[in-house]
Amino acid sequence: QVQLQESGPGLVKPSETLSLTCAVSGYSISSGYYWGWIRQPPGKGLEWIGSIYHSGSTYYNPSLKSRVTISVDTSKNQFSLKLSSVTAADTAVYYCARHLYGSGPVDPFDIWGQGTMVTVSS
Amino acid sequence: SYVLTQPPSVSVAPGKTARITCGGNNIGSKSVHWYQQKPGQAPVLVIYYDSDRPSGIPERFSGSNSGNTATLTISRVEAGDEADYYCQVWDSSSDRDVVFGGGTKLTVL
């Protein structure tokens, strides 16, 4: 079955760039679907960061757009998140997930990774 | 930007029916998805496109959406249903944004 696994540093310094990767197994990203990133600060709710199609087409949260880059590497069957100029407010559990169907962000997230905690601190 | 409003908490006795609302301006014109999240776990999709249920989700979970309110209904509530529930929509206006509600903590008494 399809599985997603986030990886990356658990600690990032303020003003630096947060970089995470989501490895996909059980399905070839190049076959379709949109793939997304969602985060959840400790004790708070879910916030969408952005989504990407295998072709590289992207949608970003308007409030984060200036700092976010999501890319896809079909050769490695993974997609990545970069969030620049981080502050303590970016401390959160970061999830990668798949959009059901292939229509785009209108589709729900049907498969999620387990999440990875990223702390922004000096 | 589009805002989804959920009650912070809902309490229900075992065997009763829980209704969790999600309010938004003309939300009935949008497709609503619902997620269940238990402590320390990733969210799980329980209802999508207003009222569809993924395989493996009990029939006790149902959804509706009309006017300014979408509702997740959980019938014959069990202790294992205790969790946070989030509604979510795609706002295709100029912002083009995936929006989550603030979440509702369901407590089984």
Side-chain angles (χ1 to χ4, degrees), chain B residues 4-5 15 34 36 42-43 48 53 67 73 78 82 89 108-109:
Chain B
L4 294 175
T5 301
W34 290 91
Q36 175 194 69
Y48 63 103
R53 197 172 48 252
T73 301
E78 302 173 356
E82 187 163 289
V89 301
V108 180
L109 301 171

Side-chain angles (χ1 to χ4, degrees), chain B:
Chain B
S1 60
Y2 194 76
V3 176
L4 294 175
T5 301
Q6 297 183 237
S9 63
V10 168
S11 298
V12 64
K16 300 299 186 182
T17 297
R19 293 180 180 83
I20 298 172
T21 59
C22 177
N25 184 34
N26 197 25
I27 194 174
S29 67
K30 301 181 183 300
S31 295
V32 180
H33 314 306
W34 290 91
Y35 303 88
Q36 175 194 69
Q37 186 181 35
K38 297 182 178 179
Q41 298 183 19
V44 173
L45 181 67
V46 294
I47 292 290
Y48 63 103
Y49 284 110
D50 296 343
S51 59
D52 289 341
R53 197 172 48 252
S55 61
I57 300 301
E59 293 183 4
R60 302 184 295 105
F61 288 79
S62 62
S64 62
N65 183 19
S66 179
N68 292 318
T69 305
T71 303
L72 172 68
T73 301
I74 308 172
S75 304
R76 303 180 300 281
V77 167
E78 302 173 356
D81 297 331
E82 187 163 289
D84 293 326
Y85 291 85
Y86 295 90
C87 57
Q88 179 242 306
V89 301
W90 165 247
D91 178 26
S92 58
S93 67
S94 58
D95 282 346
R96 301 207 306 172
D97 195 3
V98 171
V99 180
F100 286 95
T104 298
K105 169 66 176 177
L106 176 67
T107 299
V108 180
L109 301 171

